[in-house]
Amino acid sequence: MKASIFQHEVTKTSSVFGRKSDVQVVFQGDQAATDGSTIVIPAINTQADVTDEQAAIIRGYVDHESGHVRYSDMDALEKANREAQAEGNALRPALINALEDVWLERKVRQEYPGAERNLRATVTAVNREFLSQVVKGDPRLAQDEFVTPVALTWEGRKGYGGETCEECLELLDDGLRKALGKWIAAIDGCNSSRDIITLAREVERQLTTGEHREEEDTGNPGDDTGR
């Protein structure tokens, strides 16, 4: 497909999907983002054809960012991020973003089931990039505050994001994986971005106190009575 035709396609998709007729789509840089009015999609070579794989990945970015336009409370997210920045807190915005991404993709998939294929392509590309840079045994993987934000997306997307989600999760120890499952399950009770912000604060609290790694006392592990 010609790049110019493809750009026109995704611009229209963003308006329909986000239910905002005046949303602008810009192709630049190598990151996807939105402020609720403008969607930024990684740049493509306008002089070349877009391959099927590239198209699926970019459509996944479009579906995701349009989901932010459609569902996210951008004012609440911006306020929470400003507060964290004023505190010099880089962890909380990362947690908010990860949890919000999982939450909104659930809503996108529920309303537009066809988006799942595109999201899988994008998730696979993003995860492969991580796997190319961080391998098992990397000391950063032992730092829960470093890995938890991105690991939340692996856990939250593993039902639809393809096999790379599990490949990434296998880099982690069982203790963190157990905590990730609980945090992602808590998204079930979130109905808005404000709820996600509250959940992110709780995850942050557990991470900074180490509470997420405390084992519950379920009895004497040395008692083998009855065996």
Side-chain angles (χ1 to χ4, degrees):
M1 182 187 300
K2 294 295 183 184
S4 58
I5 297 175
F6 182 68
Q7 286 182 329
H8 179 72
E9 173 204 314
V10 298
T11 298
K12 292 298 183 182
T13 299
S14 299
S15 298
V16 173
F17 196 86
R19 297 191 182 178
K20 192 172 183 179
S21 60
D22 60 347
V23 66
Q24 301 295 311
V25 179
V26 178
F27 288 80
Q28 65 181 31
D30 58 2
Q31 300 290 324
T34 185
D35 60 5
S37 298
T38 299
I39 292 174
V40 178
I41 301 298
I44 59 176
N45 183 353
T46 57
Q47 303 304 312
D49 289 343
V50 177
T51 67
D52 290 344
E53 181 181 8
Q54 289 173 324
I57 292 170
I58 293 171
R59 288 185 180 117
Y61 280 126
V62 171
D63 291 351
H64 176 90
E65 298 304 334
S66 298
H68 276 299
V69 174
R70 174 86 174 91
Y71 305 111
S72 293
D73 184 336
M74 303 306 293
D75 290 340
L77 295 172
E78 183 180 355
K79 179 181 178 182
N81 287 332
R82 281 200 311 268
E83 290 174 351
Q85 184 176 18
E87 298 171 9
N89 185 329
L91 175 60
R92 189 183 308 149
L95 293 170
I96 292 172
N97 184 66
L99 292 165
E100 179 83 2
D101 283 353
V102 173
W103 174 76
L104 76 86
E105 286 180 3
R106 286 186 179 184
K107 299 181 78 64
V108 166
R109 290 165 51 241
Q110 288 169 359
E111 192 165 359
Y112 302 95
E116 185 166 309
R117 175 179 176 274
N118 298 332
L119 291 171
R120 182 180 299 111
T122 307
V123 168
T124 297
V126 170
N127 287 352
R128 282 177 177 164
E129 179 66 19
F130 183 91
L131 289 167
S132 73
Q133 298 177 18
V134 181
V135 299
K136 195 169 185 65
D138 188 307
R140 291 174 294 179
L141 295 172
Q143 302 170 22
D144 287 355
E145 293 187 13
F146 164 77
V147 75
T148 292
V150 67
L152 285 165
T153 67
W154 303 334
E155 180 69 24
R157 291 166 167 163
K158 66 182 183 182
Y160 62 93
E163 62 186 18
T164 57
C165 289
E166 187 60 36
E167 288 179 34
C168 291
L169 286 167
E170 287 174 358
L171 297 173
L172 309 177
D173 64 66
D174 291 342
L176 182 56
R177 291 196 63 170
K178 183 177 180 181
L180 290 169
K182 292 179 179 179
W183 292 329
I184 292 300
I187 293 178
D188 291 344
C190 295
N191 297 308
S192 67
S193 296
R194 294 180 185 274
D195 291 342
I196 289 294
I197 293 167
T198 298
L199 175 58
R201 287 180 175 273
E202 173 59 18
V203 174
E204 178 191 8
R205 185 192 68 78
Q206 292 185 32
L207 282 171
T208 55
T209 61
E211 181 180 313
H212 66 298
R213 286 192 174 273
E214 293 178 3
E215 294 290 336
E216 294 184 2
D217 184 5
T218 57
N220 182 357
D223 183 1
D224 60 357
T225 302
R227 284 191 283 168

